[in-house]
Amino acid sequence: MSQFIALLERYQAKLEQQYGRLLNQDIRRAITDMLHCKNDVNRTTQWHCGHCQHDQQLPASCGNRSCPQCLHQTTSNWLVKQTDKLLPVHYFMVTFTLPYQLRVLARQHPKALYQLMLQVTAGILKDFAKRENKGSLGFTSVLHTHNRRRECHPHVHIIVPCGRYNAVKKQWCKSDKQYLFNEFALAKVWRARVIDAINQSAKLTMPTDTPKKWMVDCRKVGFGASAFKYLSRYLYRGVLPDKDIINLSEEMVTFKYKESSTNMTKVRTLPVLEFLWLILQHVLPKGLQRVRDYGFLRGNAKQLRLQILLILGGDISTMATPVKRKRAVCICPCCHHEMHFMGLSRLRN
């Protein structure tokens, strides 16, 4: 069992007592799922060995994207999928960060705020590209809700290939690999559009102490593979891996993290209940799509990407060949051959 889930099970009653007013429906659902993950006799996976005919039942995973025990295959498959779409060009990562004064909205109305952030950032990049009149962009947006200390820190990372595709001329327009868009101009538009969107929202209310300067970071990230690997770390395997929890006591939890400015390993120690809430506040609302592809990187644009790859003189064999996705594997305890998954069984009460 995950160390985080073990703590959650042990301190559930105290957590409810201290933070109950902050636990929304999505967080409560995640808690229930995690406590039953690989621990529910009423939900089992059925496996059969074709070599020795052995049958086996195993407790089923909960499948909740906030669960540290689940969806590791999903993370690997997403990374393979994004790597398969890489073009032989330089890439940029643009990061739009929400000021801390607005982070209270993330706790009050997470779905409305995060949807707004993803929509606004995508619109900004499309409009900046449109002004240059060189063609359309392709990009992938990923919502992150925390910093390395695991505090509430909503921001959107966007991976952008260096170049545009002109659909009318069927041409690839090269861009300056040293420059995508002006960061200060992006930041001004980011601030103006978020404020405007919040003022028009029926759920969100703009705080009175909104800062004048907002942060947008735009930097080169090579040929893209390392950037996608970085983004995949926290997508589908919980906020904090067990390996980063380095000490547990009756009342305190210590975990390690890498400081972004120095890349040095730091440690943070918190009371158990405060630690549990620190992680649980990042449970995403049900139905929120935190990863979105646009333009020629969207899922149904494979033929367009093949055409761009041909224009760029790249190797189309890897993109044309279907990529094998990793799947769950169970090894037979009797003959050590790979077993076949037969389905999920649910017992009714």
Side-chain angles (χ1 to χ4, degrees):
M1 179 185 287
S2 157
Q3 293 186 80
F4 175 77
I5 295 177
L7 281 173
L8 193 59
E9 184 177 51
R10 183 176 178 183
Y11 290 91
Q12 185 182 9
K14 291 183 179 179
L15 179 72
E16 178 67 39
Q17 184 177 3
Q18 184 164 328
Y19 290 98
R21 68 190 186 284
L22 299 176
L23 303 180
N24 59 37
Q25 186 177 356
D26 295 300
I27 296 176
R28 291 182 185 279
R29 183 186 297 111
I31 291 174
T32 300
D33 288 346
M34 286 188 279
L35 292 179
H36 287 87
C37 184
K38 299 182 180 180
N39 193 33
D40 189 349
V41 295
N42 294 321
R43 293 180 71 254
T44 58
T45 53
Q46 312 296 316
W47 299 84
H48 175 74
C49 179
H51 184 259
C52 70
Q53 306 305 311
H54 175 71
D55 290 307
Q56 187 171 10
Q57 290 184 336
L58 295 173
S61 301
C62 68
N64 192 298
R65 59 180 168 180
S66 299
C67 179
Q69 298 182 150
C70 286
L71 305 183
H72 286 222
Q73 250 80 44
T74 307
T75 299
S76 301
N77 288 341
W78 180 82
L79 186 56
V80 169
K81 180 180 175 182
Q82 296 299 333
T83 303
D84 185 45
K85 291 196 272 185
L86 286 174
L87 298 172
V89 298
H90 286 81
Y91 280 71
F92 286 85
M93 176 148 56
V94 188
T95 304
F96 293 85
T97 302
L98 199 71
Y100 76 89
Q101 291 90 342
L102 277 72
R103 292 170 195 170
V104 64
L105 298 179
R107 300 186 185 95
Q108 296 172 346
H109 303 286
K111 191 167 187 177
L113 181 68
Y114 295 154
Q115 291 277 27
L116 182 153
M117 290 175 64
L118 287 162
Q119 291 167 2
V120 168
T121 51
I124 291 173
L125 290 191
K126 288 178 182 178
D127 289 345
F128 269 66
K130 189 176 181 180
R131 289 176 194 169
E132 295 183 345
N133 199 28
K134 294 180 180 179
S136 60
L137 280 177
F139 55 92
T140 297
S141 299
V142 179
L143 171 72
H144 279 184
T145 63
H146 59 83
N147 58 15
R148 299 193 183 193
R149 287 169 55 85
R150 273 54 178 193
E151 294 163 336
C152 183
H153 185 82
H155 55 284
V156 178
H157 291 298
I158 304 181
I159 305 295
V160 189
C162 183
R164 317 275 194 277
Y165 178 70
N166 190 316
V168 177
K169 297 180 180 179
K170 297 188 183 304
Q171 291 180 345
W172 178 260
C173 300
K174 291 184 179 180
S175 297
D176 185 351
K177 63 182 181 181
Q178 303 297 328
Y179 175 85
L180 183 66
F181 300 123
N182 183 282
E183 293 180 346
F184 299 105
L186 287 170
K188 286 182 179 179
V189 178
W190 166 232
R191 180 183 186 275
R193 292 197 182 181
V194 168
I195 292 175
D196 185 56
I198 289 176
N199 288 334
Q200 292 184 32
S201 171
K203 290 185 176 180
L204 303 174
T205 303
M206 195 68 200
T208 56
D209 56 343
T210 307
K212 297 293 183 183
K213 292 184 179 180
W214 289 28
M215 285 293 299
V216 174
D217 180 75
C218 185
R219 64 181 64 188
K220 297 181 298 178
V221 287
F223 287 92
S226 59
F228 280 115
K229 187 175 181 180
Y230 165 76
L231 294 182
S232 71
R233 291 177 187 171
Y234 309 111
L235 275 181
Y236 303 107
R237 57 180 66 183
V239 174
L240 185 72
D242 265 6
K243 64 181 179 64
D244 290 342
I245 300 176
I246 58 177
N247 189 47
L248 294 173
S249 66
E250 285 295 319
E251 300 296 334
M252 309 298 286
V253 179
T254 300
F255 65 91
K256 64 179 181 179
Y257 65 94
K258 277 193 175 181
E259 193 176 55
S260 56
S261 58
T262 64
N263 211 31
M264 293 179 60
T265 299
K266 301 278 188 174
V267 297
R268 188 176 184 191
T269 301
L270 295 171
V272 173
L273 295 181
E274 188 176 336
F275 168 77
L276 290 174
W277 169 244
L278 182 75
I279 305 302
L280 289 172
Q281 68 178 317
H282 302 296
V283 170
L284 292 174
K286 184 179 180 180
L288 177 73
Q289 185 181 351
R290 71 182 301 184
V291 182
R292 305 183 185 189
D293 297 316
Y294 299 87
F296 52 77
L297 293 183
R298 65 187 188 276
N300 60 354
K302 186 172 182 178
Q303 291 303 315
L304 178 56
R305 287 193 297 277
L306 283 170
Q307 186 175 343
I308 293 172
L309 199 58
L310 283 169
I311 295 171
L312 292 169
D315 181 9
I316 67 169
S317 60
T318 54
M319 191 176 287
T321 305
V323 179
K324 289 185 178 180
R325 310 297 185 205
K326 292 183 180 180
R327 56 184 176 83
V329 174
C330 180
I331 302 300
C332 178
C334 301
C335 65
H336 304 292
H337 282 72
E338 187 174 317
M339 301 181 78
H340 302 288
F341 175 67
M342 305 304 292
L344 181 68
S345 175
R346 290 184 176 88
L347 297 180
R348 295 182 178 179
N349 295 328

